[in-house]
Amino acid sequence: MDAVYIASDEADARAAEAVVQHHAQLAGALALKVESLAALARAGKPLDEEVRSDLVGWCRTELVPHALAEEGTLYRVAAQQPEGRLLVEAMLAEHKLIVSLVDDLELAIHPVSVAITAGALRVLFEAHLTKENEQVLPLLVGLPEVSVAELLGDLSELIGSSSDHGADSSEQGCGCHEQEATGLPELDARAIPHAIRHATIFGALDGVAPGRGLVLVAPHDPLPLLAQLEQRAPGDFAIEYLERGPESWRLSMVRTVSVPSNA
């Protein structure tokens, strides 16, 4: 479902949309990392510690700090509203559960246990983001006495530097499977709601290490997406068409260049 924000001013509407786009990037990154672990478990392969460490590290440096930033900004103000108090209490409880799942993910031993824990984390996080997008943000932007734009400041703490990573608001759930022909995890863009499709895909690609990638399944030839990707990361990805319609387009997207440390 695409959220429509009735904001008190244009700046608040833009700020809310920026948060939604960043949420999509986080969801895309998490989906791809979780699918990489799930694919190992489905294939009966040993646990890849590098893949697990990548997911845990990303959670501790990206996902959890994002949640904490929300607590001091969006949640703090929403909790002061009668209609937001119980919602915020539930969201804070989910933050604690997210942190607990990350801890469990780091300590789990068996590949299946790791995959199950990672899957639970993904489901919880995506449901959590839906409530933020469809309940918390609409509550805040509808309050004339609250400036969401000022509340978030320059957005850098909450949405990071990735807010300018080419998210396309004209283009939301994410479907992932294993693509056996390439050995790459598969991201099905057809299952992603239109409003945050590009942001979700870019979030997945941002976390890809050199030599790794994904298979993108699209409902049409994704030429606009590829043009945006080349703008954001010129020459960083090797693109190969695996299927060209008529019902779906499949592309292998493998990173060939290291991500700069300040990216």
Side-chain angles (χ1 to χ4, degrees):
M1 173 177 172
D2 296 348
V4 176
Y5 297 108
I6 309 300
S8 54
D9 60 51
E10 185 178 351
D12 278 8
R14 287 199 304 268
E17 186 60 31
V19 173
V20 171
Q21 293 295 316
H22 184 60
H23 284 169
Q25 293 173 333
L26 291 173
L30 179 61
L32 190 65
K33 293 175 187 297
V34 169
E35 175 57 23
S36 296
L37 285 171
L40 294 173
R42 286 196 299 269
K45 296 181 179 180
L47 175 63
D48 187 325
E49 285 294 346
E50 181 180 352
V51 176
R52 191 242 296 267
S53 296
D54 176 60
L55 173 55
V56 172
W58 179 85
C59 288
R60 297 205 186 283
T61 59
E62 297 288 339
L63 190 154
V64 173
H66 173 86
L68 295 177
E70 288 174 331
E71 291 182 8
T73 53
L74 304 179
Y75 290 14
R76 175 178 56 81
V77 177
Q80 296 171 3
Q81 312 304 316
E83 61 269 52
R85 181 176 59 83
L86 292 179
L87 173 61
V88 170
E89 288 181 5
M91 303 290 277
L92 291 172
E94 289 180 355
H95 280 182
K96 292 180 180 179
L97 183 53
I98 287 171
V99 173
S100 176
L101 284 171
V102 174
D103 291 340
D104 291 345
L105 182 62
E106 188 171 26
L107 297 174
I109 298 175
H110 194 279
V112 174
S113 298
V114 173
I116 291 174
T117 303
L121 174 63
R122 176 186 171 190
V123 170
L124 173 60
F125 187 62
E126 290 182 351
H128 186 78
L129 293 183
T130 297
K131 283 185 279 190
E132 289 180 350
N133 293 344
E134 299 181 4
Q135 297 182 61
V136 177
L137 282 172
L139 168 64
L140 293 176
V141 299
L143 296 171
E145 71 275 18
V146 174
S147 170
V148 175
E150 291 182 7
L151 182 64
L152 298 176
D154 63 0
L155 302 180
S156 60
E157 182 181 15
L158 184 58
I159 69 173
S161 60
S162 57
S163 61
D164 60 353
H165 279 184
D168 184 357
S169 60
S170 69
E171 284 241 17
Q172 233 177 125
C174 162
C176 296
H177 331 276
E178 179 70 4
Q179 211 286 337
E180 296 180 358
T182 64
L184 297 174
E186 185 173 289
L187 181 66
D188 192 341
R190 298 170 300 180
I192 303 173
H194 193 265
I196 57 170
R197 184 173 294 161
H198 282 196
T200 304
I201 295 169
F202 289 139
L205 290 172
D206 284 345
V208 170
R212 297 183 184 271
L214 58 83
V215 170
L216 176 67
V217 184
H220 57 78
D221 194 345
L223 294 177
L225 174 79
L226 296 180
Q228 277 189 289
L229 179 61
E230 182 60 22
Q231 243 183 351
R232 297 171 76 249
D236 284 12
F237 286 87
I239 310 296
E240 178 185 356
Y241 280 83
L242 305 176
E243 181 182 342
R244 294 179 180 267
E247 295 184 358
S248 64
W249 278 252
R250 292 174 180 265
L251 295 83
S252 167
M253 311 176 79
V254 177
R255 184 184 289 278
T256 59
V257 178
S258 297
V259 183
S261 58
N262 61 349

